[in-house]
Amino acid sequence: MNTDFLKLIGIAALTALAQGARAELKWEQTSVDLKPALGDKQAVAHFKYENIGKTPVHFKSVHASCGCTAAQTQNEKVGPGEKGEVTATFNIGGRTGTQVKTVTVQTDDPDPSHATTMLTLKAVITPLLEIQPTLVFWQNGEEPNPKIITAKANKDAAIKKLDVISSVPDFTAKVDAGSAPNEFRISVQPRDTTKAAYATLSIKPDSPANTANMFSAAARVMPPAPTPGTTPAAQAQLPIIHRAVARPPATAPTPSPSPSQ
């Protein structure tokens, strides 16, 4: 048996031994979908793992993608056969809709394909109120008729009424029940449309699940349109007046002297 063949057998045996002895984290799942309940301040995801290798695994770093999410692991070292989890806590705050946050986990696994793992937290946050439109406006001089803002409440919020306050007295707001369950109609009306005005409408529901947050919309009366001739572009369209320029009278020719003179 030649020497090169023996070397190859030795290398293969060492490789197999190293692979059998290496550490490896097996994740139960790397993506978690959450639907926080109304009024929840946080959404928490648990990413469970197990070391299915033959040597310990050490965490080098656990890093969240943004400041609104905190991530941590139970232990810095995971022995063979041991289990644990990485916890990702997303602070909801005033955020609504679908929120996707990631956590990057790095270990000392010598295999680059296993050393870094990306964990994903997806949270779907239903708002307490959905307001449409968020702005109503009137043209200058338009009839000051009421315009409607619709506020649709989360069905779990148990909202019975809304309080709406205008930031200025130029607008009034009245709230009535909408045409569908959990719906409110906010009727907004300007006092005068002959002058420009703007107001923020503060909307406060009576839901105990959200006593601190206020919602808002806006109302506006547009300023009057520019008067023609007040802008350079308008002035350029004015007719050009041509004035006749008086010419000096023609000078009579000087008579030539007669031969007798």
Side-chain angles (χ1 to χ4, degrees), residues 27-170:
W27 296 89
E28 187 175 293
Q29 56 185 346
T30 57
S31 180
V32 174
D33 291 348
L34 300 173
K35 190 172 182 180
L38 187 67
D40 284 355
K41 303 300 182 184
Q42 296 178 328
V44 182
H46 301 274
F47 300 93
K48 297 182 178 181
Y49 57 77
E50 179 183 0
N51 182 1
I52 62 173
K54 302 298 183 182
T55 60
V57 174
H58 296 84
F59 287 95
K60 297 173 66 176
S61 68
V62 179
H63 179 69
S65 59
C66 69
C68 60
T69 305
Q72 61 182 9
T73 183
Q74 290 177 317
N75 303 297
E76 298 298 323
K77 176 183 175 182
V78 185
E82 290 185 352
K83 299 180 180 181
E85 66 178 38
V86 169
T87 303
T89 303
F90 166 56
N91 294 308
I92 296 173
R95 300 173 183 86
T96 59
T98 300
Q99 303 288 324
V100 179
K101 309 299 175 183
T102 59
V103 176
T104 303
V105 178
Q106 290 186 322
T107 69
D108 62 354
D109 191 317
D111 185 350
S113 63
H114 293 91
T116 302
T117 303
M118 185 76 74
L119 309 175
T120 303
L121 180 159
K122 179 181 176 182
V124 179
I125 306 163
T126 305
L128 185 71
L129 279 178
E130 293 184 21
I131 299 171
Q132 291 293 336
T134 56
L135 169 67
V136 288
F137 65 93
W138 292 257
Q139 297 295 340
N140 191 269
E142 179 183 343
E143 287 294 326
N145 297 323
K147 296 195 176 182
I148 302 299
I149 295 175
T150 301
K152 187 173 183 180
N154 188 306
K155 61 183 179 62
D156 299 323
I159 295 175
K160 301 300 181 184
K161 70 184 185 72
L162 299 178
D163 291 326
V164 181
I165 300 174
S166 173
S167 61
V168 297
D170 299 281

